[in-house]
Amino acid sequence: MITSCFVSENELTEQKVIAAELAQEIRPRGLTFFVETFGCQMNVRDSETVKGWLSMIGYKEAENKESADFILFNTCCVRDHAEKRLMGNIGALKELKDANPGMIIGICGCMMQQEGMAKKLLRRFPHVSLIFGTNVLHRFPEMLRAVLNGDRIAVTDRADDAIAEGLPKLRDNQRSAFVNIMYGCDNYCSYCIVPYVRGHERSRKPEDIREEIANLCESGITEITLLGQNVNSYGNDGTTGMRFADLLRYISDVPGLKRIRFMSSHPKDLNEDVMQTIAALPNVCHHVHLPVQSGNSEILKRMNRKYTREHYLSIIERLRELVPDIEFTTDIIVGFPGETEEAFRDTLSLVEQVGFASAFTFAYSPRQGTTAARMEDQIPEAVKKQRLKALNELQARKTVENNEKYIGFVGEVLVEGCDERGEETMLYGKYQNFKMVYFTGCKELLNRYVTVKVLQSNKNSLLGEMIDA
Ligand code: SAH
Ligand code: SF4
Ligand code: F3S
């Protein structure tokens, strides 16, 4: 059994003292920050923590990169184009730095945990002075102090059993929040770099999770998304005394919590107890993001996914039986090594059969250090591209079909945003099962729940009218 070590309160207090000292110097100078986030919700969540520290240290959020005194890129490395893009982005900042020599440029996130990357970037880009990985967010004040004193540093410890509680956060809205329930991943899907850069799987304590949610709800937030690479394996290591279904039950009665979402779900660990719990608890949303990756059992085996096509379909069927209005979204990879035309057709037929509300689709991208990158039968790029196109066309048709079901549907929507279009204000938000709808209204309704009837289905979205505010 792996036991997680928790970052001690003393250590955190020390960091907060450093933050307060820095604030005395930074705040009067009116300095600003700009954080650009790539990748998944884990990174979004980590950026909130960095922004939380920066605010504590006295920086204010800048409107854009050009006007910022502190610029940070939070990087992703799940597919290979990310690296090229990052290099371009960083290179382009040199001019800004020349114009404002006091500016600090930093890079953090998953890519920095790749072997040798941090040092390479520090060498290649003299205008970058701060690099840190995913496991040292709790030491941000100390790192920033070193940089403000003129050092150039790269901190990418593999202290990957650490869980830090009580870090500051700066969120960009008052309605919805991400809450980590676990960090890292132990699944080692053969194509995936995440376990190497995010460390082994560890679960937060249920009490810490509940307390965080309770504080959020007290501050007005009504929707939370529980985050983990495989939320269904929460507590499977026996360290928390609770499994995922228990955790859902344990948090569901937090006062003011109207919607509970979670992602991602790994099909191999989504058990009957979780399914029954989704059906039973009134505030667990009827949406499951259930990455299938491939519709062919042989490929799934080579991907080390530990389920078959049939098992996947049986989960979909069972959940639809228990929760008739449930919607599914998914992730799919095409062109995995050894994927024959026939295997690819199995993916198409699964997509046809399930009818996902939407899907994130990717061409397989070899990642250094993973098992799949060493497999022999790699698929040519042109074939991957062609398969991706065919899959996207199919999913586009399925999305339209899915949308059409909603004409006449009436339900509660949490208003997430508004677009002012001349005289008209278009609002948008989601039903509890993740379907997005657009409708006219006024921006005072932002973050509130309103009842909306769907009038029209477009290619990618639903158009409705508000029938009750
Ligand atoms: N933990 C989540 C996925 C996180 S990564 C899960 O297991 O569901 C998000 C998605 O990126 C994956 O679901 C997969 O579809 C895609 N992905 C991961 N590695 C990839 C690679 N090497 N090439 C292409 N897509 C990849
Ligand atoms: Fe990657 Fe698989 Fe872990 Fe998801 S479950 S992060 S795809 S190794
Ligand atoms: Fe990317 Fe890291 Fe998420 S590699 S997908 S940001 S866990």
Side-chain angles (χ1 to χ4, degrees), residues 453-466:
K453 178 175 183 183
V454 177
L455 300 177
Q456 195 183 321
S457 129
N458 296 337
K459 228 164 85 185
N460 285 314
S461 60
L462 300 172
L463 201 64
E465 70 175 351
M466 193 163 62

Side-chain angles (χ1 to χ4, degrees), residues 409-455:
F409 176 85
V410 177
E412 206 177 34
V413 168
L414 172 55
V415 184
E416 287 177 19
C418 69
D419 284 334
E420 312 254 358
R421 293 184 193 161
E423 297 277 276
E424 224 179 28
T425 303
M426 279 307 266
L427 301 179
Y428 56 88
K430 292 194 193 78
Y431 292 113
Q432 60 86 17
N433 67 356
F434 214 62
K435 292 297 290 187
M436 172 86 101
V437 63
Y438 289 79
F439 53 98
T440 49
C442 57
K443 63 175 190 290
E444 285 67 33
L445 293 172
L446 205 63
N447 301 341
R448 304 250 289 267
Y449 290 84
V450 298
T451 306
V452 177
K453 178 175 183 183
V454 177
L455 300 177

